[in-house]
Amino acid sequence: MGSAIPKQYLMLGALPMLRHVLDTFASASVIAHTYLVVSPEDGYIDALLADAPELSDRVTLLRVGGATRHQSVLNGLHALQDHVAGDDWMLVHDAARPGLTVALIEQLIAAVGADPVGGLLALPVADTLKRGRDDRVEQTVERAGLWAAQTPQMFRHALLVQALEQARQVTDEASAIEALGLQPLLVQGSTRNFKVTLPDDADLATLILNRTP
């Protein structure tokens, strides 16, 4: 992002990126509680939460983040071990997706229902995909059946802990579940729920957030 601060604390309009996400989860009546996992060295989160006293009853801070998303999620799940049941549903969301809405959360939960595996928001791939080598097109990749994974990703606590403990290199929770031989449910997401990765993405996210969901 070329930013002097972690991207989740960049201002998108009047609020930091992370605050948009926390406000969305706090507004969702289907969410029992939100646990925010940050690095023990995070020097920004205290000020953000101090500016949002209305979140104090809805959000609990866990300073157990690791070097990777994989480790941060697993550490967070371990920290909750004595506070949740094994079959409680966990929704894992990336703070860099500030365009999430309450409607998308509700849509995911309704679609997954009592599914034995769980599921995730995702979008069917619409672009033509190219596999490259040395800055040249090597092959056009067939896009039929391909989906771009989003978050939240929703799985039961015990199953997700098992999957992440056994996984080696995974970039999301669903891939850890897949490594167990299971098939998560794909639930249609939204283009507004994209991941802020490049500087221009922050401008686009601000435009989206300034619109009525």
Side-chain angles (χ1 to χ4, degrees):
M1 291 292 292
S3 170
I5 65 174
K7 65 181 176 181
Q8 64 267 33
Y9 296 107
L10 290 175
M11 297 299 292
L12 300 182
L15 296 172
M17 187 183 309
L18 176 57
R19 175 67 186 276
H20 287 284
V21 174
L22 293 177
D23 285 352
T24 297
F25 275 93
S27 299
S29 61
V30 290
I31 298 296
H33 198 73
T34 299
Y35 294 89
L36 174 61
V37 178
V38 302
S39 164
E41 295 80 30
D42 189 307
Y44 301 90
I45 189 60
D46 289 327
L48 182 147
L49 293 178
D51 287 338
E54 65 273 22
L55 296 179
S56 60
D57 293 335
R58 299 283 288 155
V59 177
T60 296
L61 181 63
L62 300 176
R63 294 183 180 272
V64 296
T68 64
R69 166 175 165 166
H70 179 177
Q71 194 59 57
S72 293
V73 174
L74 184 56
N75 288 354
L77 293 170
H78 282 157
L80 298 181
Q81 200 79 44
D82 296 332
H83 305 283
V84 299
D87 60 354
D88 281 344
W89 289 107
M90 303 286 117
L91 276 73
V92 181
H93 186 64
D94 190 336
R97 294 183 184 272
L100 182 70
T101 64
V102 172
L104 284 170
I105 294 174
E106 293 173 342
Q107 179 177 315
L108 173 65
I109 291 174
V112 171
D115 190 272
V117 177
L120 66 151
L121 291 179
L123 281 178
V125 172
D127 295 325
T128 298
L129 300 178
K130 304 290 186 181
R131 178 175 289 113
R133 176 178 293 182
D134 298 327
D135 296 328
R136 296 285 180 174
V137 173
E138 181 180 60
Q139 180 185 7
T140 297
V141 178
E142 174 58 50
R143 69 189 179 197
L146 294 181
W147 292 65
Q150 298 185 338
T151 63
Q153 301 193 1
M154 175 177 168
F155 302 101
R156 295 190 186 277
H157 183 272
L159 178 63
L160 189 51
V161 168
Q162 177 191 356
L164 291 174
E165 285 181 341
Q166 295 183 20
R168 293 187 177 180
Q169 294 183 350
V170 294
T171 56
D172 69 352
E173 294 69 47
S175 56
I177 297 293
E178 293 160 39
L180 296 178
L182 302 173
Q183 295 180 307
L185 179 69
L186 291 165
V187 180
Q188 181 93 25
S190 169
T191 54
R192 67 169 286 143
N193 188 32
F194 73 95
K195 185 175 182 179
V196 174
T197 305
L198 302 173
D200 286 349
D201 294 340
D203 295 333
L204 178 57
T206 300
L207 288 173
I208 290 173
L209 291 166
N210 283 339
R211 295 170 51 194
T212 302

